[in-house]
Amino acid sequence: MAATQEQLLEKFLEPIQIDLNTCHALTTGFYDCFKALAANPTDQFLPTPISDAILRPIADTGCGRNLAIDIGGTNLRVGFIELLGKQDSHVKTNGTNGTNGTNGTNGTNGVNGVAHTNGSSYAPASRIRRLFEKSWPIDNQLKDDNAEALFRWIGRHIAEVVNDAHQELGLSSNEPLPMGVTFSFPSQQHSLAEATVTSMGKGFTIAPNTDLGASLEKGYAESKPSHLPDIKVTAISNDSVSTLVSFIYNFGGTTDQRASMGLILGTGSNATVPLRLSLLHQSKWPKNINVLNGESLSNVKIAVNTEWSISGTAPPMRKLGLITPWDDQLSAQNEKPGFQPLEYMSAGRYLGELGRIMLVDYIVNILQISKETLPAGLLERHGLSTTFLSHFKPLEHGRLLASLRTEFPESTGKGGFVWTEHLAEALYKIAKAIEVRAAGIIAAGTLALLTLSEELPANATEAEATSKELGVGYTGGCIVHFQDYLADCQRFIDELMEKRFGSTSAFRVVLSPCHDGGITGAGILVSAASVSTKTEAA
């Protein structure tokens, strides 16, 4: 008896399926992998030279107004970050804290960290205002151009925001403005204010060993009007580090509640946790580390940018059969094949393309429909966007089919190709399978990192009887909008926690929103740098 189309589709999707046992095994594999990557001279697990002991007090006492920029994979954001401190903040749970500034495109300030207690959500007081903030897309021409042109472009936009704020904030023209920088790419940090680029992705062509702070200061100096002050880069961090910094500031902390990790799931994927310096290979130790007065380096914890998307994390996934031929095909067609396998499987830049590769394979090799007859857009690399796939859900009968016909008109194909309800259902199930696998991978990676950072005990026998909630601050459009990514990720985390610690465990790991952490974290780090002591570590 011939298999039905539904049976063919189910069989086709088997390689990308993931279950709880596989996730549990992946957690162990990731833990061993992460520990080895930290302990060896790799381009992953890179430290930010500021101690965890500084960030926790800053969450209680940090005040001031600082210039900050966020250089992301698709956008540049510039603004002033005002830290209100606990005494000046006021509860605002409707998601905004008013509109900031009077010029340009101004952001609104939401509650960046949300703690969950007894199944309900608690929104802490909003303690940050974003002033004069503006955002600009970084187009492909800028990415492809030489680094000097890109930094001059960034400098012009910094000058635009500083000029907007100059009179209203009473900025001195004679004193350099301290500036915090979030940079969404791997870099080697020599001190909190000094970093060099190590490698680039997402289409950028900045050369390795580029001095980030000096390049930004030069680009600004060449672009600013004479009446504006100079800038001085005093803090640099990765986007996931800045997200953790922002999350710690907003989430707060008690004896049974702690902000423990920053998670990026947007265009790319990354994570940051505080780790003991002793876990890192000595070649990675920053020359100087900013610590509290009197704090010893012997047991210090510092925020570590894991760069978990890079190839070093592939072995545990490949061992468990999670990397499919579809993933290998996607990897092979990228600028740097094999460079970021975890990101190819979990982040917004790639999930739409993965769905396109799988759909074409199913249509051509399973249903035996000629490739030459397919709509033209379906045969183009990145012709199926992650945004389209994110919202491709069967909310009402016939809607999926209508969406497909609009996005990929049958008239652009050949030989009478026709979209069918089955093909629409197939694409939805492909999208859902991609999302569920991504959620399981991220959940496993999250628990592995929390174990390495000693926030979670290694097993149930070491768990304390007292309740403890660990907050993971997330940001990025992919985890929020792609199918049911956020809900499935939290479900996997809950199920993995129960499998590891039992149903009566007092531990809980909660995903909490920390949007705009890139720019706010950069502003917070400027204040952290001003109250710390720089200590030689290596």
Side-chain angles (χ1 to χ4, degrees):
M1 185 177 178
T4 65
Q5 286 186 327
E6 287 71 22
Q7 290 170 329
L8 290 172
L9 178 60
E10 185 177 349
K11 181 72 174 176
F12 174 79
L13 291 173
E14 283 180 1
I16 203 171
Q17 303 292 344
I18 192 169
D19 58 23
L20 182 61
N21 288 334
T22 302
C23 278
H24 182 65
L26 184 60
T27 303
T28 302
F30 270 154
Y31 173 81
D32 293 338
C33 178
F34 293 162
K35 188 174 182 180
L37 288 170
N40 286 283
T42 65
D43 54 358
Q44 294 176 261
F45 285 77
L46 307 173
T48 294
I50 188 164
S51 72
D52 183 56
I54 286 179
L55 299 179
R56 305 289 170 180
I58 284 292
D60 293 329
T61 62
C63 295
R65 186 190 300 123
N66 304 314
L67 177 63
I69 70 170
D70 179 5
I71 306 170
T74 54
N75 292 285
L76 167 71
R77 290 204 289 174
V78 183
F80 283 83
I81 303 302
E82 184 173 21
L83 309 181
L84 301 178
K86 282 190 173 180
Q87 68 276 13
D88 293 331
S89 62
H90 58 279
V91 175
K92 187 84 172 181
T93 58
N94 63 359
T96 65
N97 190 33
T99 303
N100 297 316
T102 58
N103 300 288
T105 305
N106 302 302
T108 55
N109 202 24
V111 176
N112 291 317
V114 177
H116 297 255
T117 307
N118 298 325
S120 61
S121 64
Y122 160 70
S126 180
R127 303 175 55 214
I128 293 176
R129 292 196 187 110
R130 307 206 311 273
L131 310 175
F132 302 99
E133 184 179 319
K134 292 184 178 181
S135 176
W136 300 267
I138 305 174
D139 62 32
N140 289 332
Q141 182 178 346
L142 278 167
K143 296 179 182 181
D144 295 338
D145 212 340
N146 61 69
E148 289 79 9
L150 175 63
F151 285 117
R152 280 195 300 271
W153 178 83
I154 293 172
R156 283 198 303 273
H157 290 306
I158 296 172
E160 181 179 332
V161 170
V162 172
N163 189 59
D164 289 345
H166 183 252
Q167 186 171 353
E168 186 168 332
L169 299 183
L171 302 177
S172 170
S173 298
N174 301 317
E175 296 180 11
L177 276 174
M179 184 175 80
V181 179
T182 291
F183 186 63
S184 302
F185 305 90
S187 61
Q188 181 69 46
Q189 291 215 230
H190 312 290
S191 69
L192 183 59
E194 300 169 298
T196 52
V197 176
T198 57
S199 58
M200 297 295 294
K202 305 181 183 72
F204 283 80
T205 56
I206 299 175
N209 299 317
T210 297
D211 185 320
L212 187 57
S215 297
L216 289 167
E217 290 172 3
K218 179 182 177 184
Y220 173 81
E222 291 175 350
S223 306
K224 77 176 185 74
S226 59
H227 70 281
L228 294 183
D230 292 332
I231 59 169
K232 179 65 178 175
V233 173
T234 59
I236 300 173
S237 75
N238 182 270
D239 54 349
S240 64
V241 174
S242 290
T243 296
L244 176 61
V245 170
S246 180
F247 188 51
I248 289 172
Y249 187 86
N250 282 284
F251 190 89
T254 63
T255 55
D256 59 354
Q257 200 173 66
R258 183 176 172 88
S260 302
M261 175 175 158
L263 174 64
I264 304 289
L265 273 174
T267 304
S269 176
N270 200 5
T272 285
V273 289
L275 292 179
R276 295 199 185 280
L277 187 63
S278 58
L279 286 173
L280 302 177
H281 191 273
Q282 194 161 355
S283 66
K284 295 179 179 178
W285 289 15
K287 183 178 180 181
N288 297 288
I289 296 176
N290 289 61
V291 298
L292 288 174
N293 289 327
E295 184 182 6
S296 169
L297 282 176
S298 60
N299 210 32
V300 71
K301 268 190 168 185
I302 56 176
V304 172
N305 163 30
T306 67
E307 291 297 342
W308 72 359
S309 70
I310 295 178
S311 57
T313 50
M317 295 190 293
R318 198 170 285 282
K319 181 180 179 181
L320 291 168
L322 289 170
I323 300 178
T324 70
W326 302 309
D327 300 301
D328 287 332
Q329 181 180 339
L330 185 150
S331 174
Q333 69 186 29
N334 282 313
E335 300 96 338
K336 296 181 178 180
F339 179 52
Q340 295 176 301
L342 190 148
E343 189 161 295
Y344 303 154
M345 300 163 73
S346 65
R349 179 173 169 84
Y350 305 102
L351 297 188
E353 176 63 1
L354 181 58
R356 186 195 69 83
I357 289 171
M358 291 178 66
L359 180 61
V360 171
D361 184 26
Y362 179 69
I363 292 173
V364 173
N365 295 314
I366 304 300
L367 299 184
Q368 299 293 303
I369 296 173
S370 173
K371 187 174 183 178
E372 286 69 30
T373 67
L374 300 184
L378 199 60
L379 299 177
E380 295 175 1
R381 184 184 170 203
H382 294 290
L384 177 60
S385 73
T386 299
T387 300
F388 177 80
L389 209 57
S390 295
H391 305 290
F392 195 74
K393 298 180 180 181
L395 301 179
E396 58 187 64
H397 181 71
R399 181 171 176 177
L400 292 181
L401 182 56
S403 297
L404 263 181
R405 285 174 170 162
T406 300
E407 188 76 5
F408 301 102
E410 294 160 338
S411 60
T412 64
K414 299 176 182 179
F417 175 82
V418 176
W419 288 113
T420 65
E421 287 286 358
H422 174 70
L423 288 176
E425 180 186 5
L427 181 56
Y428 165 67
K429 289 187 175 180
I430 286 170
K432 185 62 184 175
I434 289 171
E435 175 264 298
V436 170
R437 184 187 65 167
I441 289 170
I442 295 300
T446 296
L447 296 195
L449 281 181
L450 290 175
T451 305
L452 187 63
S453 65
E454 303 171 69
E455 297 287 356
L456 278 179
N459 53 61
T461 59
E462 299 176 11
E464 299 175 4
T466 55
S467 63
K468 189 172 184 180
E469 180 176 284
L470 304 179
V472 175
Y474 69 84
T475 187
C478 191
I479 191 173
V480 174
H481 299 298
F482 192 83
Q483 296 289 326
D484 308 299
Y485 203 159
L486 178 60
D488 284 334
C489 195
Q490 184 66 65
R491 174 179 61 82
F492 270 119
I493 287 174
D494 293 343
E495 292 174 356
L496 286 168
M497 289 289 289
E498 182 173 343
K499 185 174 180 67
R500 183 164 158 187
F501 298 112
S503 58
T504 59
S505 171
F507 275 96
R508 190 172 181 219
V509 174
V510 177
L511 297 170
S512 298
C514 185
H515 303 305
D516 306 311
I519 193 165
T520 57
I524 294 165
L525 279 173
V526 173
S527 290
S530 69
V531 299
S532 61
T533 300
K534 190 161 66 173
T535 302
E536 187 169 324

